[in-house]
């Protein structure tokens, strides 16, 4: 079965290109059973966060609008109001229906850089914060990922290996290197011990940066071997991307040994067979 549930959705309330209403209308047209909104939570300590995060005033408008849509479309689709929290996000004033925890930024010695803003930004950050040492960067990234549940209290870990977003073209990192695999496994195993949902994320495919979803097949196989829980999300920033590459991602999950994907039904996380 291909799930028609997406919980990783960004709108014009943060860095998305479509309005929340446009997302709902598209989801209904696509036959989605559940649509979850996950606007980027405020992160006041990050420079430039206004380019991709909600501020407190926008956050309140976001709560209100998603609440309105839940009622307006209650007979057509189940809508949830969640957030995506970064490692450095501010505490939330109210409890969302779910949280996606992600690492987008790295800070060190009073400097910071975005992992997924642009290839040039990534290269600049590795050079400035880690003296050009890719392995020090990888180690710090996965340390932060392993801490994301305790930092954000998230239900879902977003795009586990986001640091590979630009690797398909720049090849700054050998993902088959035993050092890389070891660091990824260490972070993953820590998360699996906490029974956290790991996201299969197709966002970089819709934006043209990758040909396959996060996380890499060797990571999906590890999740399957350890009976981890997986959810499929599109990280959609525009309405046309809501179910991007879902069929192909389900097939990839199967080939990696995964037999269930988790969705939300009637407000609860539940597994479905694939």
């Amino acid at each position: 079965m291909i799930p028609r549930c997406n919980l990783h959705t960004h709108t014009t309330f943060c860095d998305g290109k479509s309005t929340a209403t446009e997302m709902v209308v598209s989801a209904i047209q696509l036959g989605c059973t559940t649509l979850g909104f996950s606007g980027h939570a405020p992160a006041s300590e990050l420079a430039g966060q206004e380019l991709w995060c909600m501020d407190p005033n926008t956050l309140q408008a976001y709560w209100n609008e998603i609440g309105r849509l839940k009622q307006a479309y209650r007979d057509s689709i189940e809508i949830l109001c969640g957030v995506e929290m970064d490692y450095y996000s501010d505490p939330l004033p109210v409890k969302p229906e779910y949280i996606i925890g992600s690492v987008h930024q790295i800070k060190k010695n009073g400097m910071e850089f975005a992992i997924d803003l642009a290839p040039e930004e990534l290269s600049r950050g590795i050079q400035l914060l880690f003296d050009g040492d890719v392995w020090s960067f990888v180690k710090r990234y996965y340390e932060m990922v392993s801490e994301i549940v305790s930092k954000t209290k998230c239900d879902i870990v977003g795009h586990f290996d986001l640091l590979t977003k630009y690797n398909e073209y720049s090849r700054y990192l050998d993902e088959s290197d035993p050092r890389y695999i070891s660091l990824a496994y260490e972070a993953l195993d820590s998360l699996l011990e906490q029974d956290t949902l790991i996201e299969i994320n197709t966002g970089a495919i819709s934006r043209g940066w990758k040909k396959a979803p996060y996380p890499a097949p060797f990571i999906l196989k590890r999740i399957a071997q350890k009976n981890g829980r997986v959810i499929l999300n599109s990280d959609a920033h525009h309405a046309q991307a809501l179910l991007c590459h879902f069929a192909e991602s389900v097939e990839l999950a199967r080939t990696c040994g995964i037999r269930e994907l988790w969705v939300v039904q009637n407000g609860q996380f539940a597994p479905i067979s694939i």
Side-chain angles (χ1 to χ4, degrees):
M1 176 183 290
I2 299 173
R4 294 193 175 269
C5 166
N6 177 62
L7 300 186
H8 199 152
T9 311
H10 297 289
T11 69
T12 50
F13 280 107
C14 54
D15 60 345
K17 307 304 181 187
S18 300
T19 67
T21 298
E22 289 169 338
M23 288 291 195
V24 172
V25 171
S26 180
I28 293 170
Q29 292 172 343
L30 289 167
C32 292
T33 58
T34 309
L35 177 64
F37 289 95
S38 56
H40 289 290
S44 58
E45 69 173 283
L46 294 177
Q49 60 90 28
E50 67 278 359
L51 298 176
W52 55 284
C53 294
M54 297 182 286
D55 63 29
N57 291 332
T58 306
L59 181 63
Q60 185 58 57
Y62 170 76
W63 301 135
N64 294 343
E65 176 64 0
I66 305 308
R68 183 190 71 80
L69 293 170
K70 285 165 70 80
Q71 292 302 311
Y73 291 93
R74 63 184 179 276
D75 295 331
S76 302
I77 190 170
E78 182 175 1
I79 295 175
L80 287 83
C81 187
V83 295
E84 183 174 13
M85 293 191 71
D86 188 79
Y87 189 92
Y88 298 107
S89 290
D90 302 336
L92 295 169
V94 298
K95 183 176 175 59
E97 292 182 274
Y98 66 94
I99 295 172
I100 298 174
S102 301
V103 176
H104 293 98
Q105 307 269 135
I106 290 184
K107 298 180 67 174
K108 184 181 178 183
N109 299 330
M111 297 183 290
E112 65 186 70
F113 73 99
I115 295 163
D116 63 333
L117 181 64
E120 299 78 15
E121 170 78 356
L122 178 62
S123 297
R124 182 190 69 84
I126 294 172
Q127 188 61 46
L128 287 177
L129 275 67
F130 298 97
D131 296 322
D133 184 351
V134 169
W135 295 109
S136 293
F137 159 64
V138 172
K139 183 175 186 294
R140 180 55 186 150
Y141 172 82
Y142 278 123
E143 285 174 349
M144 293 172 69
V145 170
S146 70
E147 297 167 2
I148 200 65
V149 176
S150 61
K151 290 285 290 187
T152 67
K153 312 303 180 190
C154 62
D155 305 283
I156 301 166
V157 174
H159 35 58
F160 175 83
D161 50 350
L162 180 66
L163 81 169
T164 66
K165 178 175 179 177
Y166 304 120
N167 205 41
E168 197 139 341
Y169 300 108
S170 63
R171 299 305 302 168
Y172 69 90
L173 171 67
D174 179 2
E175 295 174 48
S176 67
D177 191 301
R179 292 172 291 178
Y180 177 76
I181 295 172
S182 177
L183 290 168
Y185 279 172
E186 185 176 352
L188 178 66
D189 291 351
S190 174
L191 296 172
L192 294 177
E193 287 172 4
Q194 300 171 74
D195 194 31
T196 307
L197 280 163
I198 307 297
E199 175 186 74
I200 297 178
N201 180 307
T202 65
I205 300 173
S206 66
R207 291 186 277 283
W209 288 109
K210 290 176 72 71
K211 297 177 182 176
Y214 310 106
F218 80 88
I219 296 170
L220 290 175
K221 290 176 182 177
R222 180 80 162 195
I223 294 171
Q225 291 166 359
K226 290 184 168 287
N227 299 311
R229 297 188 303 143
V230 180
I231 188 167
L232 176 58
N233 287 325
S234 65
D235 198 353
H237 283 62
H238 58 83
Q240 292 73 30
L242 275 171
L243 297 182
C244 171
H245 218 73
F246 268 33
E248 296 88 345
S249 295
V250 168
E251 186 57 34
L252 174 62
R254 287 195 192 109
T255 63
C256 291
I258 292 170
R259 296 294 175 258
E260 292 181 337
L261 290 173
W262 287 68
V263 298
V264 169
Q265 298 173 335
N266 300 316
Q268 301 295 320
F269 285 100
I272 62 170
S273 298
I274 59 170

